[in-house]
Amino acid sequence: MNANDRRITGFTMAGHVMVHTYELSIPILMTVWLVDFSVTSATLGTVVAVGYALFGIGALPGGILVDRFGSKTLITCCLLGMGVSFLLLSAVPGVAGITLALGIWGITASVYHPAGLALISNGVEQRGAAFAYHGMAGNIGIAGGPFLTAVLLITLDWRTAVVILAVPSLLTAVAGLSISFDERAAVDAVADGGDSSVSITSVREFVTASKRLFTVGFLTVLVLFNGLYYRGMLTFLPELLSGFLDTLLDTAPENGIGPIPDGPVASEFDLSQYLYAGLLAVGIVGQYIGGLLTDRIRSEYGLAGMLSLLVVIALLFVPASNRLSMLVLVSVALGFTLFAMQPLSQATIAKYSPPEHRGLSFGYTYFAIFGVGALGASLVGTAVTYGSVSTVFGLLASFAGIALALAGILIVYDS
């Protein structure tokens, strides 16, 4: 990589880490909020869904803003806004305050993915390496966010913890003001002789581009229900794992678990939070394997295979919760499969979208995954509150099952 490539790659890696650190710190904070504010999982799931929905919904207009104001400006504003939102989270009172702060986080974070992907596409000559590093950084944030939050909550109250979490994003935003690079350095270096994107400057152009984009294949990929599974599973998994582990620890001798330590620190140590962070860390390997598969098999078959595994994993969670070793095993399988599917999904989106509107296609994709997918938090929260644990995982299995059926349609469509 040349100097410009390294600056852009480092800047986008930092932004990607921050976005997913905050995104996945929220489920850990929820375990504290459920106690502090004495609200139901259904209520808190809906509150959190507001921020997550805005995170997805904003991706579509965010892509248009990138073309108008540039990626560096949008990413810097994103970093600043996320830091400010977590500072606000530390100060606002009650559930209403949490809703407001998370809403601000969702709006500001939503612009990152279209801005970061556009910056790498237009500015980095060695795009493959940059996308690889960028994806790995995202998974570091996905795993590191819950782990860092869990560590902070051992000795600090949650309001102090979120202030500390806000600092890295604010510092990165300041660094973004001083770093310089050419956002379009690679435009003349791509193999096809130039940048294939088309800026959208009016509502009419947006409608025309969308009509061209909405082929049967693209729409089928777009409406896959994997966003509901992703958000529903990851939002309430810490709480569900906590329940499983509490039962196992209460019967420690029968389950082959060693003696549980005592003391003030041990009383704040929630093993479920670290198991959750661990399964997310496995996603780094999943991303890598999924990326390799995109070059070796048809992405539609890869998607169908991963979705089949997600159905099985959801159905196995409750039976596996009877033994610690099985619970860890199924959690590791979840972390691997959930993130191995992402590069396969991205490759499929690219296959069914025209090159000149690739940015818009990913805007719609993140809108569907993170915006519509945010309903998963509310639906699963309702199932947690009013149903059994088996109902929760049955609902998650149905999300993956519907997506699997759609993937089957896609395979037939492309035959």
Side-chain angles (χ1 to χ4, degrees):
M1 286 187 175
N2 59 37
N4 193 70
D5 284 4
R6 289 194 297 271
R7 291 192 193 101
I8 290 177
T9 301
F11 183 54
T12 54
M13 285 176 67
H16 208 195
V17 168
M18 291 295 99
V19 167
H20 289 298
T21 293
Y22 295 128
E23 178 199 4
L24 273 301
S25 71
I26 294 171
I28 300 296
L29 291 167
M30 285 177 65
T31 63
V32 181
W33 293 337
L34 284 167
V35 176
D36 278 10
F37 297 106
S38 299
V39 294
T40 66
S41 296
T43 298
L44 194 57
T46 302
V47 165
V48 170
V50 171
Y52 282 151
L54 291 172
F55 179 40
I57 292 169
L60 191 54
I64 297 173
L65 290 174
V66 168
D67 290 334
R68 186 177 180 90
F69 298 107
S71 291
K72 179 185 173 183
T73 299
L74 267 292
I75 293 174
T76 302
C77 290
C78 164
L79 291 164
L80 179 63
M82 290 192 300
V84 169
S85 70
F86 265 60
L87 288 178
L88 181 63
L89 186 60
S90 72
V92 292
V95 173
I98 291 175
T99 306
L100 173 63
L102 293 184
I104 294 173
W105 171 81
I107 292 170
T108 54
S110 68
V111 303
Y112 175 75
H113 284 96
L117 293 172
L119 180 55
I120 292 174
S121 296
N122 293 333
V124 177
E125 293 183 12
Q126 294 188 26
R127 294 177 183 174
F131 277 123
Y133 289 130
H134 182 261
M136 291 174 64
N139 268 88
I140 289 171
I142 285 170
F147 180 78
L148 176 59
T149 306
V151 169
L152 290 173
L153 291 175
I154 291 177
T155 56
L156 301 172
D157 67 274
W158 71 266
R159 292 188 184 274
T160 304
V162 296
V163 171
I164 295 174
L165 288 172
V167 173
S169 188
L170 295 172
L171 292 177
T172 308
V174 172
L177 296 174
S178 59
I179 192 173
S180 62
F181 46 72
D182 183 355
E183 292 193 25
R184 299 182 61 81
V187 167
D188 296 326
V190 294
D192 60 8
D195 181 23
S196 62
S197 64
V198 177
S199 297
I200 295 174
T201 58
S202 69
V203 174
R204 178 176 294 180
E205 290 177 356
F206 172 75
V207 172
T208 300
S210 297
K211 286 180 178 178
R212 181 175 181 188
L213 188 62
F214 286 166
T215 62
V216 173
F218 179 79
L219 281 172
T220 304
V221 182
L222 190 66
V223 299
L224 288 178
F225 280 54
N226 60 306
L228 295 176
Y229 189 103
Y230 173 91
R231 185 62 69 207
M233 178 68 86
L234 294 187
T235 300
F236 283 96
L237 194 56
E239 181 184 350
L240 295 167
L241 288 174
S242 182
F244 292 147
L245 289 170
D246 284 348
T247 301
L248 287 171
L249 295 177
D250 285 342
T251 58
E254 291 86 345
N255 286 282
I257 303 172
I260 309 305
D262 238 339
V265 174
S267 66
E268 297 296 329
F269 184 92
D270 188 342
L271 183 60
S272 67
Q273 296 175 351
Y274 298 92
L275 177 57
Y276 181 70
L279 74 88
L280 295 175
V282 174
I284 298 173
V285 179
Q287 286 267 21
Y288 177 74
I289 298 300
L292 291 180
L293 288 175
T294 61
D295 294 327
R296 288 166 170 76
I297 64 173
R298 278 179 57 189
S299 59
E300 297 93 337
Y301 285 111
L303 268 180
M306 294 301 170
L307 287 166
S308 299
L309 288 175
L310 289 179
V311 173
V312 173
I313 288 167
L315 295 176
L316 286 179
F317 240 104
V318 175
S321 67
N322 293 321
R323 291 196 64 84
L324 181 61
S325 58
M326 293 303 298
L327 181 61
V328 171
L329 183 61
V330 76
S331 297
V332 168
L334 172 66
F336 175 87
T337 308
L338 196 59
F339 292 100
M341 198 174 79
Q342 288 190 358
L344 291 162
S345 177
Q346 291 167 357
T348 309
I349 285 289
K351 178 177 179 179
Y352 289 97
S353 60
E356 66 271 22
H357 294 305
R358 193 65 48 74
L360 181 62
S361 71
F362 279 107
Y364 274 113
T365 300
Y366 282 106
F367 169 82
I369 293 175
F370 293 137
V372 179
L375 288 172
S378 183
L379 293 171
V380 173
T382 301
V384 169
T385 301
Y386 301 109
S388 65
V389 175
S390 296
T391 301
V392 172
F393 285 100
L395 177 64
L396 289 166
S398 71
F399 292 157
I402 294 171
L404 177 59
L406 291 171
I409 293 173
L410 198 63
I411 290 171
V412 173
Y413 172 79
D414 193 54
S415 297

